[in-house]
Amino acid sequence: MDAIKEYIQRTGSPCAYVYDLKGLGKRAKDMKETLPEQCRLYYAVKANPDVRILETLKGIVDGFEVASAGEMDRTGRGPRIFGGPAKKEEELYRALWEQDVTLNVESFHELRRLGVLAEERQVTARVLLRVNLEENVSDSHLKMAGVPTQFGVEERRIPALIEEALEYECIEICGFHFHAMSNNLDARTHLAFAETAVNKSLQWKEDYQLDTSIIDLGGGFGINYWHPDEPFDWDEFARGISDLDTEGHELILEAGRYMTAEYGYYITEVLDVKENHGRHFAVVRGGTHHLRLPAAWKMSHPFHVEHRETWPYPFERPEVKETEVVIAGELCTPNDLLVRGEYVERLRAGDVVVFTHAGAYAWTISHHEFLSHPHPEHVYIT
Ligand SMILES: Cc1ncc(COP(=O)(O)O)c(C=O)c1O
């Protein structure tokens, strides 16, 4: 991308997140345009809460999925779904007060707390009951269905949850919430999951004569970090979802990673190139305290090399050629690895590594203060 090359050329020692806001806006519009009328596209703020990203998406997406008061501050008013298994009292109050927030109920205890708070305030709590499905729905990276987790209420207890919720006049059951996986790469699996969620919701609606209007599928649309040229097939998903009869329910999608990952780049300079016990290492300015995802998932983050010809020293430039290289960061731990042995044509000290797909679960999930190194710059292409 020209803007990135230009940034690298004009910066002496690059270490930056670069966000392509133009590309991001187009991505969000394209995603929305392919979806059928019954779908509402929300952005899951946790994927990247950068204010410029939120500004770009506002006006394109139908709403935001938030998981804290901090995320509510960042999005401002407008349709929001508030999820998370540990909601604090002040957050519940605030969500009730703002009225444009629909709350996920994640447990019986949370339902009871909400019931009391809403009654006390004389307001109606609009809720989605969060379901942990009986069956595992994918072989995706992280699973939140069919396995014990801290999220939601297991499917077999949902009837009891509905019955209890119906006892509160101040609680309105708007529908069900099913977020169940992270980084699923297979559109057909996602469609099968959507069909299950719709069938279950319609059954509960009928069994309890509910006045529901929302079925929330959550997010989990994946990014193929291992084979970026084989991405999640969004178009196939969008076509398939059009065939589902939701009997008038809105189908909410809370996309995070799939929306922003490809529009963020982490760019950093190679400080050293060396060999150790038969392996080649390139050590960069920055590391997993800026981009923790590859360490968390024990993977090689996708990257390419931008060569720079300037070399300030009077001695030979260290380099590797046509071999596998490990790319490590500046921290004092052997776990500070961004790339765990990938082929490069050539990589020299002073070259720049561009980590692609770094726009989601990247900067904000990283342990920035470890070793007190400087933070990267944040640059926006508009
Ligand atoms: C409730 C909920 N919705 C949506 C998302 C976004 O998921 P993703 O970024 O995988 O699309 C998450 C992520 O953890 C979530 O917890």
Side-chain angles (χ1 to χ4, degrees):
M1 194 197 229
D2 288 348
I4 286 177
K5 284 187 199 295
E6 204 183 290
Y7 168 75
I8 292 169
Q9 289 316 327
R10 79 178 140 81
T11 313
S13 307
C15 184
Y17 270 94
V18 178
Y19 294 114
D20 172 11
L21 298 181
K22 206 169 148 197
L24 172 66
K26 183 171 175 337
R27 165 70 139 227
K29 276 190 196 130
D30 289 348
M31 285 172 76
K32 201 164 143 59
E33 271 166 25
T34 50
L35 289 170
E37 179 83 59
Q38 67 200 13
C39 281
R40 299 287 174 275
L41 182 62
Y42 279 49
Y43 172 58
V45 175
K46 58 176 75 73
N48 192 328
D50 187 293
V51 173
R52 299 284 301 271
I53 285 186
L54 298 179
E55 278 168 12
T56 303
L57 294 176
K58 217 167 191 173
I60 302 176
V61 296
D62 297 300
F64 292 98
E65 186 269 341
V66 292
S68 67
E71 290 190 350
M72 286 189 224
D73 289 342
R74 280 172 184 249
T75 56
R77 301 298 288 265
R80 282 159 297 164
I81 309 261
F82 179 27
K87 299 185 193 76
K88 294 176 270 303
E89 197 130 309
E90 58 271 25
E91 291 174 324
L92 292 176
Y93 271 133
R94 176 166 171 183
L96 288 173
W97 184 248
E98 292 194 0
Q99 284 290 298
D100 43 14
V101 179
T102 305
L103 286 127
N104 284 349
V105 168
E106 305 254 357
S107 73
F108 282 84
H109 176 59
E110 196 173 79
L111 176 74
R112 291 167 197 156
R113 284 168 77 207
L114 253 184
V116 169
L117 297 181
E119 204 168 296
E120 208 178 284
R121 296 273 148 146
Q122 293 286 294
V123 288
T124 301
R126 291 170 43 82
V127 304
L128 302 176
L129 304 182
R130 180 155 179 192
V131 184
N132 180 333
L133 286 169
E134 211 56 59
E135 278 169 44
N136 183 15
V137 283
S138 79
D139 57 359
S140 64
H141 198 86
L142 298 171
K143 301 176 191 72
M144 279 141 278
V147 287
T149 68
Q150 65 271 49
F151 302 104
V153 172
E154 58 191 309
E155 188 182 329
R156 68 191 175 88
R157 295 208 174 120
I158 292 293
L161 188 69
I162 296 173
E163 281 168 21
E164 192 165 331
L166 287 172
E167 287 172 18
Y168 291 95
E169 265 178 34
C170 54
I171 288 188
E172 181 189 343
I173 306 175
C174 299
F176 299 92
H177 186 110
F178 291 89
H179 177 72
M181 53 193 138
S182 185
N183 211 44
N184 172 43
L185 293 172
D186 182 37
R188 262 172 275 178
T189 309
H190 228 102
L191 285 169
F193 156 67
E195 197 176 336
T196 304
V198 169
N199 290 341
K200 303 269 178 200
S201 298
L202 297 182
Q203 191 63 55
W204 286 318
K205 178 187 168 89
E206 191 184 319
D207 291 349
Y208 292 93
Q209 295 297 300
L210 302 174
D211 192 18
T212 51
S213 56
I214 295 172
I215 301 169
D216 190 327
L217 299 178
F221 312 99
I223 288 291
N224 197 338
Y225 299 97
W226 305 269
H227 302 285
D229 48 344
E230 294 168 27
F232 178 87
D233 193 339
W234 178 264
D235 290 343
E236 181 180 359
F237 174 75
R239 275 194 304 277
I241 210 100
S242 316
D243 296 336
L244 286 181
D245 181 3
T246 64
E247 297 183 4
H249 286 72
E250 280 180 5
L251 210 48
I252 294 185
L253 310 176
E254 301 171 349
R257 188 188 308 275
Y258 189 79
M259 187 93 80
T260 53
E262 285 177 36
Y263 301 95
Y265 301 81
Y266 175 56
I267 294 177
T268 184
E269 181 192 19
V270 178
L271 294 179
D272 202 349
V273 174
K274 65 207 242 187
E275 199 182 327
N276 215 332
H277 286 288
R279 295 207 85 180
H280 297 285
F281 288 82
V283 189
V284 296
R285 185 185 288 274
T288 56
H289 53 315
H290 295 171
L291 175 59
R292 200 177 80 90
L293 185 64
W297 286 14
K298 301 206 174 349
M299 67 174 185
S300 289
H301 202 94
F303 72 99
H304 64 262
V305 176
E306 290 287 339
H307 295 289
R308 291 198 305 179
E309 296 315 320
T310 43
W311 178 246
Y313 297 108
F315 50 82
E316 204 181 327
R317 203 170 166 181
E319 69 169 17
V320 285
K321 256 187 174 165
E322 296 174 3
T323 189
E324 271 190 9
V325 68
V326 174
I327 303 183
E330 63 195 351
L331 301 180
C332 300
T333 160
N335 294 330
D336 188 17
L337 301 180
L338 296 160
V339 171
R340 289 163 188 261
E342 297 292 331
Y343 180 85
V344 289
E345 288 283 338
R346 188 181 197 198
L347 184 57
R348 300 167 295 181
D351 282 339
V352 173
V353 184
V354 177
F355 293 95
T356 60
H357 303 79
Y361 305 108
W363 170 241
T364 52
I365 68 158
S366 309
H367 43 295
H368 308 148
E369 300 309 322
F370 189 38
L371 261 70
S372 303
H373 285 295
H375 291 183
E377 235 189 303
H378 288 255
V379 178
Y380 301 90
I381 303 169
T382 50

